[in-house]
Each structure stands twice: as structure tokens, then as C-alpha cells.
Amino acid sequence: MSDPVCPLCGRPIPDGVPQSLHHLIPKLKGGKGGPTVLLHDICHREIHATLTEAELAREYSTPEALKTHPRLAKFIVWVQKRPPGFRSRVPGRRRKR
């Protein structure tokens, strides 16, 4: 069986690579029990370092929409050059609550 593929960066997510489930609609905004996608942990952390829960619920509730955000698009280009198991500290919070 092949490895799942991260819907944000398009890289495979092999066993043992840090991964997490992302709620497409944040739980705080009514997404509890809603659709989730499996992401690399680094991709998931970048999403939450970039966007507020309100922005995620309002405008970025699909992987396709997430890819259109300028900072995330730049991150995707950067991370696609890295191996699937690449780990890095995501820079401190840049978003306002």
C-alpha cells in the first residue's frame, strides 16, 4: 500500500513521519466532527501560524483554498524541495488573534 499524500504540499507521508489531522472547519467554529485531512505536521503548523480560526472557517476551508494564500503558497514551494520526513521549527506566531 502506498503512503498517504499531504493535500497541502503533495509530498508522501511515510510511516514514522510527524503527521496530524487538520479540521477543515476549525472545531471552535463548528467543525467538530466535520471533515479532516491528514497533513505533515510541519504543513499543519504552518497553516495555524498563518491563519486565524475565523479565516480558516470563512475563506480557507479546503486544501485548494489554503494553497491560494500567499504565505502558504510560498511555504509550499519551499517545503516541496525537502524530503517527506523533513522537520523544522515553524517561525513564531505572525498572525493576530
Side-chain angles (χ1 to χ4, degrees):
M1 189 169 119
S2 63
D3 294 326
V5 173
C6 179
L8 190 69
C9 72
R11 298 176 303 144
I13 308 173
D15 274 349
V17 168
Q19 54 188 266
S20 54
L21 281 177
H22 172 64
H23 286 82
L24 291 172
I25 307 275
K27 290 187 281 188
L28 293 173
K29 298 292 180 182
K32 189 173 182 179
T36 59
V37 291
L38 184 68
L39 301 169
H40 288 104
D41 187 58
I42 190 174
C43 295
H44 194 197
R45 287 183 292 134
E46 186 68 22
I47 289 169
H48 288 284
T50 302
L51 297 161
T52 64
E53 304 286 301
E55 289 169 324
L56 285 167
R58 196 173 51 242
E59 300 169 52
Y60 297 99
S61 60
T62 66
E64 295 74 27
L66 288 166
K67 291 177 190 181
T68 67
H69 187 280
R71 177 175 159 180
L72 291 178
K74 188 174 174 183
F75 166 80
I76 292 165
V77 168
W78 175 80
V79 84
Q80 283 175 337
K81 298 173 188 161
R82 307 300 186 273
F86 177 77
R87 295 174 74 171
S88 174
R89 216 171 62 75
V90 171
R93 297 203 184 275
R94 289 194 206 168
R95 62 184 168 108
K96 298 177 204 72
R97 289 247 166 205

